[in-house]
Every structure is written in structure tokens, then in C-alpha cells.
Amino acid sequence: MDPVEPAERHERQRWVRRAVAELPAHYRDAVHLFYFHEMDLAAAAASLGVPQGTLKSQLHRARHLLERRLAPLLGAVAGKETVCPT
């Protein structure tokens, strides 16, 4: 294993967590429960008090926002230019 890989992985994780922290609260909460706490859709939706369809929409929108915010950073790490569609 390349000794640089763990450092780069840690840096990417830090960027992701920072980007998640900057999301609007309803997207941030959805991401935390579903991805970080590994709740299933039903449990996360119940915890947030929203229908499952609403949670799916929030997760989709959150992923889109994260992709747009992180694409330039992750592209730089990979050594390539990244273009994110609007």
C-alpha cells in the first residue's frame, strides 16, 4: 500500500464531512442518519418525521449538492480536471 493513500483518504473524508456540515439542515440530517448512522430509509424517515419519498428526495438533492461542491477538490486529488454539469 502506498503510504500516501491513507493520508489522501483521510483528507477526502475531511472534505466530505465539511461539505456535509455546510448543507442545509434538512439535507444534512438526512445524510447523517442514512449514511453515517447507516439507518434504513424507513427508520431515518420516521426519525425525521417525513415520508420515505421526501427522504429519498432530500438524499438525492444532498448528493447533487455534495457532488457539485466536492468535484473540483476530488478532481484535483485524482490529478485530473473535473467538470460538473449544472
Side-chain angles (χ1 to χ4, degrees):
M1 177 188 281
D2 182 356
V4 177
E5 286 179 24
E8 287 179 356
R9 184 177 34 234
H10 177 73
E11 187 69 13
R12 284 191 302 265
Q13 289 172 346
R14 203 167 56 90
W15 290 339
V16 169
R17 289 192 181 276
R18 185 179 305 143
V20 169
E22 293 172 357
L23 288 172
H26 57 288
Y27 296 152
R28 182 178 59 243
D29 294 343
V31 167
H32 271 283
L33 293 178
F34 189 74
Y35 291 107
F36 297 155
H37 294 286
E38 298 181 356
M39 288 183 154
D40 63 29
L41 278 172
S47 178
L48 294 171
V50 298
Q52 287 185 38
T54 299
L55 178 60
K56 287 180 183 181
S57 294
Q58 290 173 340
L59 290 169
H60 174 78
R61 291 179 184 134
R63 284 191 302 268
H64 180 74
L65 288 172
L66 290 170
E67 181 180 297
R68 290 186 62 174
R69 290 179 183 176
L70 292 170
L73 295 171
L74 296 177
V77 167
K80 60 184 177 185
E81 191 171 322
T82 305
V83 178
C84 185
T86 307

